Amino acid sequence: KQEVTQIPAALSVPEGENLVLNCSFTDSAIYNLQWFRQDPGKGLTSLLLIQSSQREQTSGRLNASLDKSSGRSTLYIAASQPGDSATYLCATKGAGNTGKLIFGQGTTLQVKP
Amino acid sequence: DAGVIQSPRHEVTEMGQEVTLRCKPISGHDYLFWYRQTMMRGLELLIYFNNNVPIDDSGMPEDRFSAKMPNASFSTLKIQPSEPRDSAVYFCASSLGRAGNTIYFGEGSWLTVV
């Protein structure tokens, strides 16, 4: 059974800092991995999707990497801004292509002005 | 597109009452998912449909929960009877095609059972 872990659970950084959020998973036989952002009281917004054959994806100041062999993914946020404050969740989709996403518990990020 | 639309956004109900949550997926999407989010357990998949057919309901906690998708543009999640431990945020999400595509979430239905 796939387990997805995100450490730390919370992170506070000053504005402008580059930071890395971590995601680990126990079963490397994944179809893809997605990073989501959740603002308080809101649903989840997909940030980046990495297919199992890919090593990384980039969107603006965000870069997500995937290392299936070690069961790890990282989300790199460059030049953080207060508007980046949110909870970030990673989720894996199994290689069976069942459509089922398994989520981590998330990392709550606070970027202080 | 208006995105995934859920209703109600907030509901407070008494224990034992029936609760019905509604979802309209993005037009053209053929996968629909119901998730539940709590502080203790995070996001859990309850059930998902493909082309209106339930594919995996192994996450439905017990018989008090049921979900239907009578057509491609509407789904319901029903809890009968409701209990305080059902208090959570219930998300509906949809996606197009097979597993490689992005999943889109609604804003959630915040349920409190007192």
Side-chain angles (χ1 to χ4, degrees):
Chain A
K1 179 184 174 184
Q2 178 74 286
E3 293 183 6
V4 180
T5 304
Q6 293 184 248
I7 295 173
L11 183 63
S12 181
V13 300
E15 181 178 3
E17 192 163 296
N18 302 325
L19 60 100
V20 174
L21 305 181
N22 297 297
C23 172
S24 61
F25 45 95
T26 55
D27 185 353
S28 62
I30 62 171
Y31 191 87
N32 62 38
L33 184 144
Q34 295 187 48
W35 282 92
F36 294 86
R37 169 182 173 140
Q38 185 175 26
D39 292 289
K42 300 290 186 179
L44 281 71
T45 301
S46 181
L47 297 173
L48 290 164
L49 184 154
I50 312 175
Q51 303 293 355
S52 62
S53 58
Q54 297 174 325
R55 297 283 294 180
E56 65 178 341
Q57 282 287 336
T58 298
S59 176
R61 294 182 295 108
L62 305 179
N63 175 275
S65 67
L66 175 64
D67 184 344
K68 280 202 318 177
S69 61
S70 66
R72 294 174 187 269
S73 176
T74 61
L75 179 66
Y76 175 82
I77 302 177
S80 59
Q81 304 171 358
D84 295 329
S85 298
T87 296
Y88 292 82
L89 298 102
C90 67
T92 63
K93 189 165 286 187
N97 202 12
T98 62
K100 182 185 278 191
L101 281 174
I102 306 297
F103 282 86
Q105 290 275 36
T107 295
T108 299
L109 172 66
Q110 182 184 31
V111 181
K112 297 180 178 179
Chain B
D1 198 309
V4 177
I5 299 173
Q6 292 186 245
S7 65
R9 287 297 318 281
H10 299 272
E11 175 141 354
V12 180
T13 191
E14 291 185 347
M15 182 174 64
Q17 296 298 307
E18 178 179 292
V19 174
T20 299
L21 308 179
R22 299 172 179 80
C23 175
K24 175 178 168 54
I26 292 174
S27 177
H29 281 191
D30 54 353
Y31 281 83
L32 183 140
F33 309 84
W34 283 101
Y35 282 88
R36 178 173 66 176
Q37 187 176 39
T38 61
M39 287 292 292
M40 291 297 296
R41 300 175 66 90
L43 266 165
E44 301 173 285
L45 178 65
L46 299 177
I47 185 172
Y48 79 94
F49 297 82
N50 178 220
N51 291 323
N52 313 337
V53 176
I55 303 300
D56 184 348
D57 66 354
S58 60
M60 296 286 262
E62 47 196 278
D63 292 344
R64 297 184 296 107
F65 285 70
S66 62
K68 294 182 179 179
M69 192 166 185
N71 57 62
S73 59
F74 184 67
S75 178
T76 60
L77 178 67
K78 187 174 292 187
I79 309 172
Q80 167 62 21
S82 57
E83 296 182 3
R85 60 194 168 116
D86 301 330
S87 299
V89 185
Y90 291 82
F91 287 104
C92 178
S94 70
S95 67
L96 174 64
R98 298 301 296 274
N101 294 325
T102 300
I103 185 170
Y104 296 86
F105 280 76
E107 300 256 290
S109 292
W110 297 67
L111 174 65
T112 302
V113 183
V114 297

